[in-house]
Amino acid sequence: AKDWHGAAYDAALVEPRPSKACGGGLGVFAVTEVPPGARLAEIPVEACLTADAARAGRGGPRAARAARGV
């Protein structure tokens, strides 16, 4: 597994790369046929985009708090 910004993914099965479908952000794409039940990635909750962070226009809770002046 590869570690990428706190998330681990199975590089033999998937890879993150730019995606027009994600509005120019990153998407996760299969690099081979994925077997049923395969674990593709583990993403910690802290790495997930929150609604506040999205509204702030930056990633992560700290950016959202900073945008609110907290």
Side-chain angles (χ1 to χ4, degrees):
K2 288 195 169 192
D3 182 59
W4 191 77
H5 295 281
Y9 64 93
D10 187 335
L13 297 176
V14 296
E15 69 180 9
R17 63 179 186 231
S19 170
K20 290 180 184 177
C22 295
L26 289 175
V28 178
F29 297 86
V31 295
T32 188
E33 187 172 333
V34 177
R39 181 176 293 209
L40 303 177
E42 292 183 25
I43 303 169
V45 173
E46 297 81 27
C48 293
L49 180 65
T50 64
D52 284 345
R55 281 190 285 275
R58 299 174 190 240
R62 281 181 284 181
R65 285 194 297 274
R68 293 191 313 262
V70 177

